[in-house]
Amino acid sequence: MIQLRNIEKVYKTDTIETMALHKINLEVDNGEFLSVMGPSGCGKSTLLNIMGLLDAPSKGEVTISEQLTAGFSDKALAVFRNKKLGFIFQSYHLINDLRVLDNVELPLLYRNLTAAERTALAKEALGKVGLSNRMKHFPTQLSGGQKQRVAIARAIVGQPQIILADEPTGNLDSAMGNDIMEILTQLNQREGTTIVMVTHDENMARKTHRLVRLFDGSQVL
Amino acid sequence: MLRNYFKIALAVLKRRKFFTFISLFGISITLAILMVTTSFVDHLTGARYPEFKRGRSLYVHMFRSSSSTMGYINSSEPTFNFLNNYVSKLKSPEMVAICSNTTKSNAYVNNKKLSLDIMYTNRAFWDVMEFKFLEGKPYTAQQIANGEFVAVISEDTRDAYFGEGVKAVGKYIESDNIQYHVIGVVKSVPITRMFSSSDIYAPYTMPKSGADSKGYMGNYMAVLLAREKSDLPKIKEEYQEMMKKLPLENPKEMDRQESYADSYVGSFVRRSGGPGSKLGTVYFVIGAITFIFMLLPTINLVNINITRIMERSSEIGVRKAFGASSGTLVIQFIVENLILTVLGGLLGLLLAAIVLGIINNSGWIPNADLSLNPMVLTISLLLCLLFGLLSGVYPAWRMSRLQIVSALKTA
């Protein structure tokens, strides 16, 4: 499903060059639930951003669904992300000015759907994360766990094949974290969605199919 | 999609109340001033009551003679004599209205002095102007030729002299010891229209009309009506031909004589700016002033918008991550800005309407009919859109250049 070949990422400033990722070769199979672990600053998030086409590698190739993504225009990348990928962030990144339902509808805005179709899909996604009764709320009226569930609903509403989650339980207590993990696991098992999750938490990582460890930008496991 | 933009635009406006207030304040005041100005310009120069035919009219209200050797210049309105004997004889105009500058006269009502303006006109004046007659009708060519003491008075004059709403036709009005037989009452004209505004209109054959002045320089003006707008250049040309052949009034001292038939605005530009002034330059200067006037609040708005948009970098990151291209986002932010400007525009419209209402009712300009007519509204709307685009495009463009990863990180 996802293939990374010889991925390198170098951050340059005027005086210093930092190698964030060094020769990463990684394959994620269709339907796999993979976790990425490593100490802070080891390049986990950079790796996830490159997989999600949010950031471009300095060297190497990213292939998703057998499509080589190098050379995509801004517009083509946008369409590709919209169709194939869903994102979950540690700090949720919900839009506080929009109600829960509108937040979940967001990815569908960039598809050719009617308002009614969008609403129906968003409601269905909210149902899956158990938040049907919070549709009219604003994000600021929700708990951390609820916010993350809204974020999951937003990630799955467009039925992407791949979900990329950057420390989805990082800001949550263990009970809430377990809830989120449960939802992701079910999504993976029932719908066959491929999930790549960056985490600090060994317990969470243990619930996934495979674990990749990074250290100083290199893959160690 | 639009509904969604609308929702978020309103939410953002509500959230940042202070920013919103400053933006709306700037936009609405600027637009209100522009709308009031446009309305004034329209009031002064537009085809308004009773000069509805301004579009196909040319105006003459200057005669200038000069000496190239001595450097003398004399300039004033032309005489009735010049207008009647030379301008009226032109072939290309459909008709030529001739009217005098207004002169002050005194009337007495119940021992109270009433100062009344009198304008002396020819018959064609009533056909070129489209007065609304509340009573009676204008004087005929025959009445003028007979030197009958007849007059058309304005509604305000009637109300002041005979009493409000009292029928005046058939009665007599006495001013400067001359009794006029009132044969018509017209709706009053704002004082800003010098070719048609007066309290009393009387035939040029009246004793004090000044129509008997010899020579070319006097106190009369003319409006040349073309059959069609496309005839205007031809009339101007014929007018200049006539001027070339016009005998010099005082060949010993003055060797040059000038007079022009110009568009309404053009005639004033020519008169105030001297022979070399071009209408185009005036429009350019007005345009430049408007632009600079709009530029200041626009720059201010650009600044506010940048801060405002950059505050929303998380939203930008998320939208991009979930499939919005830079182009889509630029459109979103421009639409949001347009919504803000249109809101400001509506507020500005309200403010302008209030200001115009106050001016109309204050009596600062008697009979002022300042209004937000369709032209004023259209211009204001266009200004609104221009304003929205000017202040929205740059911030939106800067925002769209933001990398997703950094947009999400800074949030």
Side-chain angles (χ1 to χ4, degrees):
Chain A
M1 184 53 90
I2 307 174
Q3 279 139 6
L4 303 182
R5 277 198 201 94
N6 294 319
I7 295 292
E8 292 194 1
K9 181 72 185 177
V10 182
Y11 290 110
K12 284 181 192 162
T13 63
D14 290 344
T15 49
I16 232 172
E17 219 173 73
T18 319
M19 182 77 94
L21 289 175
H22 183 67
K23 292 223 162 96
I24 304 283
N25 283 288
L26 183 65
E27 267 194 40
V28 185
D29 293 331
N30 195 3
E32 194 175 6
F33 193 164
L34 176 85
S35 48
V36 180
M37 287 195 73
S40 293
C42 71
K44 305 181 296 283
S45 294
T46 306
L47 182 71
L48 201 73
N49 289 337
I50 287 174
M51 278 189 200
L53 310 177
L54 301 179
D55 203 356
S58 308
K59 270 188 196 160
E61 288 173 351
V62 182
T63 309
I64 297 174
S65 298
E66 280 152 20
Q67 261 182 293
L68 193 61
T69 58
F72 272 24
S73 68
D74 174 72
K75 204 166 182 182
L77 274 177
V79 172
F80 195 86
R81 279 196 295 264
N82 182 259
K83 294 250 165 71
K84 306 270 181 187
L85 306 170
F87 298 90
I88 301 167
F89 306 98
Q90 179 177 6
S91 49
Y92 329 121
H93 285 310
L94 298 176
I95 299 174
N96 287 332
D97 292 316
L98 292 178
R99 290 178 195 279
V100 164
L101 188 68
D102 293 319
N103 261 291
V104 176
E105 270 186 31
L106 185 120
L108 306 178
L109 287 178
Y110 307 110
R111 294 185 184 181
N112 278 330
L113 292 174
T114 63
E117 287 169 327
R118 287 201 301 265
T119 310
L121 284 169
K123 281 182 177 168
E124 189 188 324
L126 278 168
K128 281 182 190 165
V129 297
L131 279 180
S132 295
N133 54 346
R134 292 282 187 276
M135 288 190 299
K136 299 278 178 209
H137 287 59
F138 283 97
T140 45
Q141 298 167 308
L142 303 179
S143 70
Q146 286 171 327
K147 282 183 193 173
Q148 198 56 297
R149 283 194 275 163
V150 174
I152 294 175
R154 177 178 64 186
I156 62 173
V157 73
Q159 290 156 346
Q161 293 161 308
I162 302 163
I163 285 191
L164 302 169
D166 194 354
E167 305 202 34
T169 59
N171 282 1
L172 305 175
D173 64 28
S174 61
M176 281 184 181
N178 282 331
D179 281 354
I180 296 298
M181 205 50 208
E182 183 61 34
I183 294 172
L184 290 178
T185 311
Q186 282 197 4
L187 196 64
N188 173 255
Q189 285 172 357
R190 287 192 193 157
E191 324 238 339
T193 311
T194 308
I195 303 179
V196 179
M197 176 177 77
V198 165
T199 182
H200 263 116
D201 190 331
E202 292 277 355
N203 289 327
M204 300 296 174
R206 239 176 267 133
K207 293 178 186 172
T208 64
H209 300 156
R210 181 156 68 109
L211 174 64
V212 168
R213 278 185 196 275
L214 291 186
F215 189 78
D216 280 353
S218 300
Q219 190 177 342
V220 292
L221 185 76
Chain B
M1 193 70 126
L2 268 178
R3 198 181 54 136
N4 201 276
Y5 288 166
F6 212 86
K7 262 190 204 169
I8 191 126
L10 289 182
V12 172
L13 293 183
K14 264 193 255 166
R15 181 163 51 103
R16 293 262 163 255
K17 289 196 178 71
F18 186 64
F19 272 165
T20 307
F21 169 74
I22 292 183
S23 304
L24 282 179
F25 185 78
I27 300 170
S28 56
I29 295 288
T30 309
L31 286 172
I33 292 174
L34 280 171
M35 280 185 235
V36 170
T37 315
T38 344
S39 176
F40 259 102
V41 170
D42 180 52
H43 181 263
L44 291 174
T45 66
R48 307 286 293 270
Y49 173 80
E51 301 178 42
F52 294 114
K53 294 174 189 154
R54 264 191 195 166
R56 55 183 176 105
S57 298
L58 291 176
Y59 292 77
V60 177
H61 56 101
M62 183 204 66
F63 195 97
R64 186 187 281 141
S65 54
S66 51
S67 152
S68 51
T69 51
M70 309 294 286
Y72 300 145
I73 297 178
N74 269 346
S75 182
S76 88
E77 276 88 23
T79 50
F80 180 81
N81 165 49
F82 166 73
L83 295 171
N84 196 43
N85 294 337
Y86 297 95
V87 179
S88 286
K89 300 288 186 309
L90 297 179
K91 296 200 174 55
S92 41
E94 185 183 346
M95 42 188 159
V96 176
I98 302 178
C99 57
S100 69
N101 270 336
T102 54
T103 44
K104 291 260 176 247
S105 70
N106 294 322
Y108 292 88
V109 188
N110 304 328
N111 291 326
K112 257 176 72 185
K113 196 172 93 173
L114 193 63
S115 176
L116 295 175
D117 282 342
I118 302 189
M119 177 183 268
Y120 302 99
T121 80
N122 67 352
R123 176 66 190 91
F125 176 82
W126 298 106
D127 296 325
V128 172
M129 305 294 170
E130 291 174 283
F131 279 95
K132 188 181 173 203
F133 273 83
L134 306 173
E135 283 179 61
K137 51 185 190 305
Y139 31 85
T140 62
Q142 194 58 49
Q143 284 171 312
I144 297 176
N146 294 347
E148 288 181 30
F149 287 78
V150 286
V152 171
I153 62 173
S154 72
E155 185 182 6
D156 286 349
T157 311
R158 178 194 67 186
D159 291 350
Y161 195 88
F162 295 105
E164 205 158 327
V166 174
K167 291 266 180 232
V169 167
K171 294 181 180 160
Y172 288 85
I173 184 167
E174 188 180 318
S175 194
D176 277 4
N177 301 319
I178 295 177
Q179 274 214 332
Y180 297 94
H181 185 198
V182 177
I183 57 165
V185 178
V186 291
K187 188 177 156 225
S188 301
V189 179
I191 199 161
T192 46
R193 281 159 216 163
M194 70 175 227
F195 283 89
S196 55
S197 168
S198 185
D199 299 318
I200 300 178
Y201 304 85
Y204 65 85
T205 44
M206 294 295 99
K208 291 178 185 169
S209 72
D212 47 358
S213 297
K214 300 282 176 270
Y216 303 139
M217 301 225 254
N219 66 333
Y220 273 80
M221 314 177 281
V223 184
L224 283 61
L225 184 70
R227 283 178 189 86
E228 277 165 42
K229 211 177 167 186
S230 55
D231 285 347
L232 295 177
K234 205 165 73 188
I235 298 178
K236 285 184 183 180
E237 218 172 281
E238 200 194 347
Y239 194 92
Q240 288 318 308
E241 285 300 315
M242 177 272 293
M243 282 304 294
K244 271 186 211 159
K245 290 183 206 142
L246 186 72
L248 288 173
E249 187 182 359
N250 188 357
K252 281 184 198 150
E253 287 178 18
M254 302 293 193
D255 55 3
R256 222 184 127 181
Q257 297 181 143
E258 291 169 82
S259 176
Y260 301 89
D262 283 317
S263 65
Y264 187 74
V265 179
S267 69
F268 287 97
V269 171
R270 167 113 51 195
R271 194 170 170 166
S272 56
S277 8
K278 292 261 162 50
L279 193 54
T281 320
V282 173
Y283 282 137
F284 177 78
V285 170
I286 293 174
I289 292 172
T290 314
F291 182 73
I292 292 169
F293 183 71
M294 287 189 77
L295 196 64
L296 296 175
T298 306
I299 292 172
N300 175 32
L301 208 60
V302 166
N303 249 324
I304 293 178
N305 278 341
I306 290 178
T307 328
R308 224 179 153 109
I309 289 179
M310 291 307 161
E311 270 189 342
R312 290 161 69 188
S313 64
S314 154
E315 177 186 338
I316 294 162
V318 166
R319 283 185 188 269
K320 279 192 162 185
F322 281 101
S325 66
S326 297
T328 319
L329 283 179
V330 168
I331 292 172
Q332 178 193 334
F333 283 97
I334 290 179
V335 168
E336 276 186 26
N337 204 48
L338 282 178
I339 292 171
L340 180 70
T341 339
V342 168
L343 269 179
L346 290 177
L347 272 179
L349 201 67
L350 193 74
L351 279 177
I354 293 172
V355 170
L356 293 180
I358 291 174
I359 295 176
N360 280 341
N361 292 320
S362 66
W364 293 333
I365 306 169
N367 299 310
D369 52 0
L370 290 166
S371 61
L372 295 166
N373 69 8
M375 188 189 83
V376 176
L377 275 178
T378 315
I379 292 181
S380 312
L381 195 73
L382 288 177
L383 288 175
C384 246
L385 291 179
L386 182 76
F387 209 73
L389 286 175
L390 276 178
S391 58
V393 169
Y394 176 69
W397 175 80
R398 258 197 55 181
M399 166 280 309
S400 72
R401 313 269 299 167
L402 218 54
Q403 294 294 321
I404 302 178
V405 176
S406 43
L408 288 173
K409 229 178 246 164
T410 52

